[in-house]
Amino acid sequence: MIPRLTHRQIEAFRAVMETGKVTSAAAVLGTTQPSVSKLIAELERAAGFNMFERQGRQVVPTSEARSLYEEVERAFVGMMEISRVIEDIRDFRTGSLLIAGMPALALKLLPDVIAEFIADHPGISVSLRTRSSQAVLRHLSSQQFDLGFAALDNDHPAVTRRALFTAPMMGVLPLDHALTEKTLLTPGDFDQRPFIALGAEIGTRSETDAFLSAAGARPRIVAEAQLSASICEMVAAGAGMAIVEPVTAMYFANLGRIAARPLSPAQPFRYDLLLPTTRQPSRAAEQFLKLVEARFDALLAV
Protein backbone atom coordinates (compact mmCIF):
# COMPACT_ATOMS: atom_id res chain seq x y z
CA MET A 1 0.00 0.00 0.00
CA ILE A 2 1.35 3.43 -0.92
CA PRO A 3 1.84 6.08 1.75
CA ARG A 4 -1.11 8.38 2.37
CA LEU A 5 -1.43 11.05 -0.30
CA THR A 6 -2.32 14.64 0.51
CA HIS A 7 -4.74 16.92 -1.28
CA ARG A 8 -1.97 19.48 -1.69
CA GLN A 9 0.21 16.95 -3.56
CA ILE A 10 -2.61 16.22 -5.99
CA GLU A 11 -3.24 19.95 -6.45
CA ALA A 12 0.42 20.48 -7.29
CA PHE A 13 0.38 17.59 -9.76
CA ARG A 14 -2.73 18.92 -11.47
CA ALA A 15 -1.33 22.46 -11.68
CA VAL A 16 1.92 21.23 -13.29
CA MET A 17 0.01 19.05 -15.74
CA GLU A 18 -2.14 22.00 -16.81
CA THR A 19 0.58 24.69 -16.98
CA GLY A 20 3.56 22.62 -18.14
CA LYS A 21 5.89 24.54 -15.82
CA VAL A 22 6.66 24.27 -12.13
CA THR A 23 6.97 28.05 -11.84
CA SER A 24 3.55 28.57 -13.44
CA ALA A 25 2.03 25.90 -11.19
CA ALA A 26 3.46 27.70 -8.16
CA ALA A 27 1.80 30.95 -9.28
CA VAL A 28 -1.53 29.17 -9.75
CA LEU A 29 -1.32 27.66 -6.26
CA GLY A 30 -0.03 30.82 -4.63
CA THR A 31 3.16 29.22 -3.39
CA THR A 32 6.83 28.94 -4.34
CA GLN A 33 8.58 26.85 -6.99
CA PRO A 34 10.57 24.84 -4.41
CA SER A 35 7.35 24.01 -2.56
CA VAL A 36 5.75 22.64 -5.74
CA SER A 37 8.90 20.67 -6.60
CA LYS A 38 8.88 19.18 -3.12
CA LEU A 39 5.20 18.20 -3.38
CA ILE A 40 5.79 16.51 -6.75
CA ALA A 41 8.85 14.67 -5.38
CA GLU A 42 6.81 13.42 -2.42
CA LEU A 43 4.06 12.26 -4.78
CA GLU A 44 6.58 10.41 -6.97
CA ARG A 45 8.11 8.67 -3.96
CA ALA A 46 4.67 7.60 -2.76
CA ALA A 47 3.63 6.42 -6.24
CA GLY A 48 6.87 4.65 -7.03
CA PHE A 49 7.24 6.14 -10.51
CA ASN A 50 8.24 9.43 -12.12
CA MET A 51 5.54 11.91 -13.01
CA PHE A 52 7.52 14.30 -15.23
CA GLU A 53 10.62 14.51 -17.38
CA ARG A 54 12.42 17.84 -17.72
CA GLN A 55 12.98 19.21 -21.23
CA GLY A 56 14.64 22.58 -20.81
CA ARG A 57 12.31 24.83 -18.84
CA GLN A 58 9.33 22.61 -19.59
CA VAL A 59 8.26 19.48 -17.77
CA VAL A 60 6.74 16.70 -19.84
CA PRO A 61 4.37 14.25 -18.14
CA THR A 62 5.15 10.56 -18.36
CA SER A 63 2.55 8.14 -19.68
CA GLU A 64 1.88 7.10 -16.08
CA ALA A 65 1.24 10.73 -15.17
CA ARG A 66 -1.22 11.13 -18.05
CA SER A 67 -3.14 8.07 -16.85
CA LEU A 68 -3.23 9.47 -13.32
CA TYR A 69 -4.33 12.89 -14.56
CA GLU A 70 -7.50 11.42 -16.12
CA GLU A 71 -8.57 10.13 -12.72
CA VAL A 72 -7.52 13.32 -10.96
CA GLU A 73 -9.60 15.41 -13.35
CA ARG A 74 -12.67 13.29 -12.69
CA ALA A 75 -12.18 13.75 -8.97
CA PHE A 76 -11.68 17.51 -9.30
CA VAL A 77 -14.74 17.88 -11.51
CA GLY A 78 -16.70 16.15 -8.78
CA MET A 79 -15.25 18.47 -6.15
CA MET A 80 -16.01 21.51 -8.29
CA GLU A 81 -19.60 20.33 -8.67
CA ILE A 82 -19.86 19.95 -4.91
CA SER A 83 -18.43 23.46 -4.52
CA ARG A 84 -20.98 24.80 -6.99
CA VAL A 85 -23.84 23.17 -5.10
CA ILE A 86 -22.53 24.63 -1.84
CA GLU A 87 -22.39 28.09 -3.41
CA ASP A 88 -25.90 27.71 -4.82
CA ILE A 89 -27.27 26.76 -1.41
CA ARG A 90 -25.33 29.54 0.31
CA ASP A 91 -26.53 32.16 -2.16
CA PHE A 92 -30.16 30.87 -2.25
CA ARG A 93 -29.89 29.78 -5.89
CA THR A 94 -31.34 26.35 -5.18
CA GLY A 95 -33.63 24.74 -2.64
CA SER A 96 -37.30 24.55 -1.73
CA LEU A 97 -39.79 25.59 0.92
CA LEU A 98 -42.96 23.67 1.71
CA ILE A 99 -45.43 25.81 3.64
CA ALA A 100 -48.84 25.07 5.16
CA GLY A 101 -51.04 28.02 6.09
CA MET A 102 -54.45 28.69 7.55
CA PRO A 103 -56.89 30.26 5.04
CA ALA A 104 -56.82 33.67 6.75
CA LEU A 105 -53.12 33.97 5.92
CA ALA A 106 -53.09 31.96 2.68
CA LEU A 107 -55.64 34.31 1.10
CA LYS A 108 -53.35 37.29 0.69
CA LEU A 109 -50.52 37.68 3.20
CA LEU A 110 -48.58 34.49 2.44
CA PRO A 111 -48.97 34.76 -1.37
CA ASP A 112 -47.64 38.32 -1.20
CA VAL A 113 -44.67 37.19 0.88
CA ILE A 114 -44.00 34.29 -1.50
CA ALA A 115 -44.00 36.66 -4.49
CA GLU A 116 -41.53 38.95 -2.71
CA PHE A 117 -39.36 36.02 -1.64
CA ILE A 118 -39.07 34.38 -5.07
CA ALA A 119 -38.33 37.76 -6.66
CA ASP A 120 -35.25 37.95 -4.43
CA HIS A 121 -34.45 34.22 -4.56
CA PRO A 122 -35.69 32.85 -7.92
CA GLY A 123 -33.80 29.59 -7.44
CA ILE A 124 -35.93 28.59 -4.43
CA SER A 125 -39.19 26.86 -5.23
CA VAL A 126 -42.03 27.53 -2.79
CA SER A 127 -45.14 25.40 -2.34
CA LEU A 128 -48.13 26.64 -0.30
CA ARG A 129 -50.81 24.31 1.08
CA THR A 130 -53.95 26.03 2.37
CA ARG A 131 -55.44 24.05 5.26
CA SER A 132 -57.38 24.57 8.47
CA SER A 133 -55.27 25.32 11.53
CA GLN A 134 -55.67 21.77 12.83
CA ALA A 135 -54.70 20.36 9.44
CA VAL A 136 -51.64 22.65 9.37
CA LEU A 137 -50.65 21.17 12.73
CA ARG A 138 -50.99 17.63 11.34
CA HIS A 139 -48.94 18.52 8.25
CA LEU A 140 -46.10 19.92 10.35
CA SER A 141 -46.16 16.86 12.59
CA SER A 142 -45.24 14.78 9.52
CA GLN A 143 -41.87 16.61 9.53
CA GLN A 144 -42.21 17.05 5.75
CA PHE A 145 -43.20 20.73 5.86
CA ASP A 146 -40.77 23.55 6.61
CA LEU A 147 -43.14 26.16 8.03
CA GLY A 148 -46.72 26.28 9.24
CA PHE A 149 -48.96 29.24 9.99
CA ALA A 150 -52.06 28.70 12.09
CA ALA A 151 -54.14 29.84 15.06
CA LEU A 152 -54.24 27.11 17.69
CA ASP A 153 -54.92 26.45 21.35
CA ASN A 154 -53.33 23.00 21.43
CA ASP A 155 -49.90 21.49 20.81
CA HIS A 156 -48.36 18.39 19.23
CA PRO A 157 -45.19 16.70 20.50
CA ALA A 158 -43.65 16.71 17.00
CA VAL A 159 -44.30 20.41 16.42
CA THR A 160 -42.82 23.52 17.97
CA ARG A 161 -45.46 26.24 18.27
CA ARG A 162 -44.65 29.83 19.04
CA ALA A 163 -46.53 33.10 18.86
CA LEU A 164 -45.86 34.87 15.59
CA PHE A 165 -48.11 37.89 15.95
CA THR A 166 -50.95 38.99 18.21
CA ALA A 167 -53.50 41.65 17.32
CA PRO A 168 -57.09 42.41 18.38
CA MET A 169 -60.12 40.94 16.65
CA MET A 170 -62.04 43.43 14.53
CA GLY A 171 -65.69 44.26 14.09
CA VAL A 172 -66.54 44.50 10.39
CA LEU A 173 -69.41 46.44 8.87
CA PRO A 174 -70.87 47.26 5.46
CA LEU A 175 -69.50 50.57 4.23
CA ASP A 176 -72.89 52.31 4.54
CA HIS A 177 -73.63 51.01 8.04
CA ALA A 178 -74.65 53.60 10.63
CA LEU A 179 -72.05 52.33 13.11
CA THR A 180 -69.14 53.25 10.82
CA GLU A 181 -69.22 56.64 12.58
CA LYS A 182 -67.88 54.96 15.73
CA THR A 183 -64.16 54.42 16.30
CA LEU A 184 -64.77 51.43 18.64
CA LEU A 185 -67.47 48.79 18.72
CA THR A 186 -68.80 47.47 22.03
CA PRO A 187 -70.92 44.34 22.59
CA GLY A 188 -74.03 46.48 22.75
CA ASP A 189 -73.48 47.67 19.19
CA PHE A 190 -74.16 44.13 17.97
CA ASP A 191 -77.33 43.61 19.99
CA GLN A 192 -80.34 42.64 17.84
CA ARG A 193 -78.49 43.51 14.65
CA PRO A 194 -77.99 41.13 11.70
CA PHE A 195 -74.81 39.19 12.46
CA ILE A 196 -72.70 36.73 10.47
CA ALA A 197 -71.04 34.26 12.83
CA LEU A 198 -68.12 31.91 12.61
CA GLY A 199 -69.07 28.25 12.38
CA ALA A 200 -69.69 26.58 15.73
CA GLU A 201 -66.70 24.27 15.14
CA ILE A 202 -64.25 27.20 14.93
CA GLY A 203 -62.43 27.81 18.21
CA THR A 204 -62.73 31.59 17.99
CA ARG A 205 -66.53 31.30 17.89
CA SER A 206 -66.71 30.58 21.62
CA GLU A 207 -64.54 33.62 22.37
CA THR A 208 -66.77 35.83 20.22
CA ASP A 209 -69.88 34.45 21.94
CA ALA A 210 -68.34 35.19 25.35
CA PHE A 211 -67.48 38.76 24.28
CA LEU A 212 -71.10 39.40 23.31
CA SER A 213 -72.86 37.52 26.13
CA ALA A 214 -70.73 39.16 28.85
CA ALA A 215 -72.64 42.38 28.17
CA GLY A 216 -75.95 40.68 27.45
CA ALA A 217 -75.76 41.40 23.71
CA ARG A 218 -77.82 39.08 21.52
CA PRO A 219 -77.13 39.68 17.85
CA ARG A 220 -79.48 38.22 15.27
CA ILE A 221 -77.45 35.51 13.49
CA VAL A 222 -78.40 35.50 9.83
CA ALA A 223 -75.57 33.33 8.50
CA GLU A 224 -72.52 31.31 9.51
CA ALA A 225 -69.27 30.54 7.71
CA GLN A 226 -65.98 28.81 8.48
CA LEU A 227 -63.69 31.33 6.80
CA SER A 228 -63.17 34.95 7.73
CA ALA A 229 -62.93 35.78 4.02
CA SER A 230 -66.37 34.31 3.35
CA ILE A 231 -67.81 36.29 6.24
CA CYS A 232 -66.23 39.52 4.97
CA GLU A 233 -67.67 38.87 1.52
CA MET A 234 -71.16 38.65 3.06
CA VAL A 235 -70.54 41.79 5.10
CA ALA A 236 -69.42 43.60 1.94
CA ALA A 237 -72.67 42.53 0.29
CA GLY A 238 -74.65 44.10 3.15
CA ALA A 239 -75.81 40.91 4.87
CA GLY A 240 -74.84 42.06 8.36
CA MET A 241 -72.06 42.76 10.87
CA ALA A 242 -69.41 40.32 12.04
CA ILE A 243 -66.33 39.83 14.20
CA VAL A 244 -63.29 38.30 12.48
CA GLU A 245 -59.53 37.94 12.91
CA PRO A 246 -57.54 41.10 12.12
CA VAL A 247 -55.52 40.11 9.02
CA THR A 248 -58.57 39.31 6.91
CA ALA A 249 -60.49 42.27 8.34
CA MET A 250 -57.70 44.70 7.42
CA TYR A 251 -57.24 43.11 4.00
CA PHE A 252 -60.88 43.72 3.05
CA ALA A 253 -60.90 47.15 4.71
CA ASN A 254 -57.77 48.23 2.81
CA LEU A 255 -59.49 47.18 -0.41
CA GLY A 256 -62.31 49.57 0.51
CA ARG A 257 -64.91 46.81 0.59
CA ILE A 258 -65.87 46.92 4.27
CA ALA A 259 -65.31 49.05 7.35
CA ALA A 260 -63.27 47.56 10.19
CA ARG A 261 -63.32 48.81 13.76
CA PRO A 262 -61.51 47.67 16.94
CA LEU A 263 -63.55 46.11 19.73
CA SER A 264 -63.86 47.34 23.30
CA PRO A 265 -62.91 45.49 25.39
CA ALA A 266 -60.18 44.25 23.04
CA GLN A 267 -60.21 40.58 22.05
CA PRO A 268 -56.66 39.44 21.20
CA PHE A 269 -56.09 36.98 18.36
CA ARG A 270 -52.81 35.08 18.06
CA TYR A 271 -51.24 33.78 14.87
CA ASP A 272 -48.86 30.88 15.46
CA LEU A 273 -45.71 29.78 13.71
CA LEU A 274 -45.30 26.00 13.56
CA LEU A 275 -41.96 24.28 13.04
CA PRO A 276 -40.99 20.59 12.89
CA THR A 277 -39.23 19.69 16.13
CA THR A 278 -36.67 17.37 14.54
CA ARG A 279 -34.76 20.04 12.61
CA GLN A 280 -33.85 23.68 12.69
CA PRO A 281 -35.30 26.05 10.08
CA SER A 282 -33.22 26.31 6.93
CA ARG A 283 -31.58 29.60 6.02
CA ALA A 284 -34.23 30.03 3.31
CA ALA A 285 -36.99 29.47 5.87
CA GLU A 286 -35.44 32.07 8.16
CA GLN A 287 -35.34 34.59 5.31
CA PHE A 288 -38.99 33.85 4.54
CA LEU A 289 -39.97 34.38 8.18
CA LYS A 290 -38.35 37.81 8.20
CA LEU A 291 -40.56 38.81 5.27
CA VAL A 292 -43.66 37.41 7.01
CA GLU A 293 -42.95 39.42 10.15
CA ALA A 294 -42.38 42.59 8.13
CA ARG A 295 -45.65 42.02 6.25
CA PHE A 296 -47.57 41.64 9.52
CA ASP A 297 -46.09 44.88 10.81
CA ALA A 298 -46.97 46.75 7.62
CA LEU A 299 -50.51 45.41 7.33
CA LEU A 300 -51.61 45.95 10.89
CA ALA A 301 -49.94 49.35 11.20
CA VAL A 302 -52.25 50.80 8.54
Side-chain angles (χ1 to χ4, degrees):
M1 178 178 291
I2 68 171
R4 184 178 181 85
L5 302 178
T6 68
H7 186 70
R8 194 64 171 167
Q9 290 168 355
I10 301 301
E11 280 186 323
F13 168 75
R14 181 171 182 261
V16 174
M17 287 290 293
E18 292 183 345
T19 64
K21 294 181 180 180
V22 175
T23 52
S24 299
V28 168
L29 297 175
T31 187
T32 64
Q33 178 180 342
S35 295
V36 172
S37 296
K38 181 181 178 183
L39 289 168
I40 295 299
E42 291 172 349
L43 178 61
E44 288 177 329
R45 282 196 299 272
F49 54 80
N50 291 333
M51 300 290 175
F52 302 99
E53 297 174 354
R54 288 192 172 274
Q55 294 183 1
R57 303 180 69 177
Q58 295 288 120
V59 288
V60 179
T62 62
S63 60
E64 291 85 355
R66 285 193 291 270
S67 297
L68 176 61
Y69 180 68
E70 292 178 6
E71 294 302 320
V72 167
E73 269 303 280
R74 277 194 281 269
F76 268 82
V77 167
M79 290 300 295
M80 286 189 291
E81 179 64 17
I82 292 171
S83 296
R84 185 193 64 77
V85 171
I86 290 173
E87 290 177 355
D88 285 347
I89 294 172
R90 180 195 64 200
D91 298 334
F92 301 104
R93 292 195 295 265
T94 188
S96 64
L97 280 177
L98 189 54
I99 299 167
M102 62 187 288
L105 300 182
L107 172 70
K108 175 67 174 173
L109 189 143
L110 289 176
D112 282 351
V113 173
I114 290 171
E116 182 179 0
F117 180 83
I118 61 178
D120 293 335
H121 309 300
I124 306 291
S125 64
V126 183
S127 178
L128 174 64
R129 301 285 189 273
T130 304
R131 300 290 188 269
S132 69
S133 289
Q134 288 298 327
V136 171
L137 182 64
R138 290 194 297 272
H139 281 332
L140 267 292
S141 70
S142 73
Q143 309 295 308
Q144 296 178 2
F145 282 71
D146 298 294
L147 299 170
F149 300 91
L152 295 163
D153 54 11
N154 62 301
D155 293 302
H156 190 287
V159 177
T160 298
R161 177 170 70 103
R162 69 172 188 245
L164 179 65
F165 203 88
T166 301
M169 298 276 286
M170 304 289 285
V172 292
L173 314 160
L175 291 174
D176 59 356
H177 199 285
L179 291 176
T180 56
E181 297 179 358
K182 300 191 64 174
T183 57
L184 292 172
L185 296 179
T186 64
D189 292 322
F190 296 88
D191 189 47
Q192 298 304 312
R193 294 184 184 272
F195 187 79
I196 304 161
L198 286 164
E201 71 279 12
I202 307 299
T204 312
R205 168 66 181 270
S206 60
E207 298 172 11
T208 302
D209 289 347
F211 166 77
L212 296 168
S213 62
R218 296 177 61 86
R220 188 160 48 86
I221 297 177
V222 296
E224 290 185 352
Q226 290 181 311
L227 303 182
S228 297
S230 300
I231 291 174
C232 287
E233 289 287 359
M234 287 187 269
V235 170
M241 306 168 64
I243 297 173
V244 298
E245 43 79 25
V247 166
T248 303
M250 293 308 301
Y251 168 61
F252 275 84
N254 292 341
L255 289 177
R257 301 194 60 209
I258 61 171
R261 298 291 183 269
L263 302 174
S264 180
Q267 304 295 303
F269 186 91
R270 190 179 103 165
Y271 301 91
D272 294 317
L273 168 66
L274 307 184
L275 299 166
T277 58
T278 59
R279 52 192 167 90
Q280 292 296 314
S282 66
R283 293 170 64 250
E286 290 175 347
Q287 290 291 316
F288 188 87
L289 284 175
K290 289 179 181 178
L291 296 179
V292 170
E293 291 165 353
R295 186 71 56 155
F296 266 117
D297 291 340
L299 176 67
L300 300 177
V302 174

